Amino acid sequence: MIMNWLIALGAGAASALMVATVATGSPLALPLFYLAPLPVLIVGLGWTHVSALIAASAAAVAIGVFFGVELLLAYVAGVGLPAYVLSYLALMAREPEPGAPLEWFPVGRVVLAAAILGCLAVAALIPLVAGSVEGYQAALRTLFQEMFEKSPGAGGPDVERMVDLLVLVMPPAAAVVTMVTQIGNLWLAAHISRLSGRLMRPWPDLATISVPRPVAVLLVGTFIATNLAGGFIGLLAQLLTSTLVMAFAFIGLATIHWITRGAAGRALVIATVWIAALALGWPFALLALLGLAETLFGVRQRFRKGGPPGRPPAANDV
């Protein structure tokens, strides 16, 4: 027990130090900040969710003591709390009947939880910037205008349109980045835990991830609310719409991994899809449509499961 506490506290110290690099202004600060959930997730998946809670709490206290309440709240909302919740859900299981194999919490619903947490993380930080949505948008506008004023040739209607666009897309983009960062760290932590022999659940088939069909209805509802509601409700709907679209994009990627199993040139197809999506961004919208089609109509059911008989899954599916 004492060793578990020490490991958890060490993970919390590592996570806090990664966040603290932001204050140094180092070029490595941003990537280290994005990796801050990793130590918490490693102890969560490799030991217990209690260890993840201890690590996140220790990091939050250290950040609050040395860097103030604002960075403390940012850490809790964007790093510590999501990492703890995702590690807790990843290890959740139930026994359908005595002696039966455990049923683990579906990975698709972990992705859905990450989408909700990404939305809430950005929404929770708005009061740190301004007391209203209008004040928050005004603060963003001022920030971007100051950035462009420092650039040569700044000014004119083109810059104003660019500022308007950035003010519109920055909150949902921040929510998506928070979500993707947490999922990426969860995947990396699971791999590290598995390589060390500490992973406490079987490795899932990531090509089968899915979400319940009502989530598609939720996406439609949040999209409508984005266009009809104003103020904080409208912004919250905008944030949730963006993260749900990304969740369906992940399902679209999983669908491609599934339907290409056993196909010639599979590695090239998957690599092209991933590179295009990461480099260009907009292919994620097409992947989200594919994920939506899979959720509503079961695209994967129309293809042979698992590739040709006797062939193991491809290496990039494990």
Side-chain angles (χ1 to χ4, degrees), residues 196-221:
S196 64
R198 298 287 316 187
L199 186 61
M200 299 180 65
R201 64 165 289 170
W203 189 265
D205 185 356
L206 298 179
T208 64
I209 64 171
S210 61
V211 294
R213 287 185 178 179
V215 177
V217 179
L218 176 63
L219 175 60
V220 174

Side-chain angles (χ1 to χ4, degrees), residues 70 73-75 77-78 120-130 136:
E70 290 189 357
L73 295 177
Y75 177 85
L120 295 179
V122 175
L125 296 178
I126 290 176
L128 297 179
V129 179
Y136 175 70

Side-chain angles (χ1 to χ4, degrees), residues 2-298:
I2 296 177
M3 183 58 67
N4 288 352
W5 273 79
L6 291 175
I7 292 172
L9 292 174
S15 182
L17 286 173
M18 289 178 175
V19 173
T21 57
V22 174
T24 67
S26 168
L28 293 176
L30 189 59
L32 286 176
F33 178 82
Y34 285 142
L35 288 173
L38 184 59
V40 178
L41 288 165
I42 289 175
V43 296
L45 297 179
W47 281 261
T48 66
H49 66 90
V50 176
S51 297
L53 179 60
I54 294 170
S57 300
V61 170
I63 291 171
V65 169
F66 290 103
F67 298 98
V69 176
E70 290 189 357
L71 192 56
L72 163 65
L73 295 177
Y75 177 85
V76 171
V79 179
L81 181 61
Y84 166 70
V85 172
L86 293 182
S87 62
Y88 179 86
L89 294 177
L91 296 182
M92 184 183 293
R94 68 184 182 93
E95 190 177 28
E97 55 187 36
L102 290 177
E103 291 183 356
W104 295 90
F105 193 75
V107 177
R109 300 193 183 193
V110 175
V111 173
L112 179 60
I116 296 172
L117 289 167
C119 164
L120 295 179
V122 175
L125 296 178
I126 290 176
L128 297 179
V129 179
S132 65
V133 173
E134 292 75 15
Y136 175 70
Q137 293 173 337
L140 288 179
R141 185 177 304 278
T142 301
L143 174 64
F144 291 129
Q145 286 174 342
E146 291 177 352
M147 290 174 56
F148 281 109
E149 286 175 359
K150 297 178 182 178
S151 303
D158 291 339
V159 171
E160 288 299 320
R161 285 194 290 268
M162 179 61 68
V163 170
D164 292 339
L165 178 62
L166 289 173
V167 170
L168 179 65
V169 304
M170 181 55 69
V176 169
V177 168
T178 302
M179 170 193 173
V180 172
T181 299
Q182 290 289 347
I183 291 176
N185 278 287
L186 179 63
W187 178 86
L188 186 57
H191 265 288
I192 294 172
S193 300
R194 184 172 66 155
L195 290 174
S196 64
R198 298 287 316 187
L199 186 61
M200 299 180 65
R201 64 165 289 170
W203 189 265
D205 185 356
L206 298 179
T208 64
I209 64 171
S210 61
V211 294
R213 287 185 178 179
V215 177
V217 179
L218 176 63
L219 175 60
V220 174
T222 57
F223 179 77
I224 294 174
T226 297
N227 293 277
L228 296 181
F232 185 77
I233 298 299
L235 179 59
L236 190 63
Q238 184 183 20
L239 298 176
L240 188 54
T241 299
S242 61
T243 55
L244 287 178
V245 167
M246 182 55 66
F248 280 109
F250 279 119
I251 296 174
L253 283 167
T255 302
I256 291 177
H257 277 258
W258 176 276
I259 65 180
T260 57
R261 282 180 173 174
R266 178 177 190 269
L268 178 60
V269 171
I270 291 176
T272 300
V273 171
W274 273 100
I275 292 172
L278 293 174
L280 302 177
W282 61 262
F284 278 114
L286 300 179
L287 291 169
L289 291 176
L290 177 59
L292 192 60
E294 159 59 28
T295 301
L296 295 175
F297 307 113

